[in-house]
């Protein structure tokens, strides 16, 4: 957690950045996590930035990432 953003810098062994972002967007569409944007700044190192909606607790967003996305693989 950096400021109000969640930064993912490591991926599970069987996951790609594209599949992880797809699972995050799918969870957001189903209303499981409230995010305003997902940005992929990956080049040599993985860096996916997730910005929760205004007023949504970042700790709650982090827990939802582990519960409803491929972050828990």
């Amino acid at each position: 957690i950096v400021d109000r953003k969640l930064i993912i810098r490591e991926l599970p062994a069987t996951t790609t950045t594209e599949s992880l972002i797809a699972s995050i967007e799918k969870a957001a569409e189903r209303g499981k996590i409230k995010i305003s944007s997902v940005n992929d700044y990956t080049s040599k190192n993985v860096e996916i930035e997730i910005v929760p909606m205004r007023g949504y607790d970042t700790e709650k967003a982090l827990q939802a990432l582990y519960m409803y996305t491929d972050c828990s693989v």
Side-chain angles (χ1 to χ4, degrees):
I1 299 176
V2 178
D3 296 327
R4 282 203 22 82
K5 301 172 186 170
L6 301 168
I7 308 293
I8 298 173
R9 292 197 172 106
E10 293 181 22
L11 292 177
T14 59
T15 307
T16 64
T17 56
E18 293 85 14
S19 66
L20 181 62
I21 291 170
S23 75
I24 293 168
E25 289 172 345
K26 190 174 181 180
E29 288 171 6
R30 292 182 298 179
K32 301 295 183 182
I33 184 171
K34 296 178 183 179
I35 57 171
S36 61
S37 67
V38 178
N39 303 305
D40 187 5
Y41 298 118
T42 301
S43 59
K44 280 186 176 181
N45 299 319
V46 173
E47 187 170 334
I48 301 170
E49 175 188 83
I50 302 164
V51 181
M53 285 188 166
R54 199 174 288 262
Y56 191 64
D57 184 36
T58 52
E59 286 293 329
K60 197 173 186 179
L62 182 62
Q63 291 173 0
L65 280 176
Y66 283 116
M67 289 173 54
Y68 302 113
T69 68
D70 288 349
C71 288
S72 63
V73 172

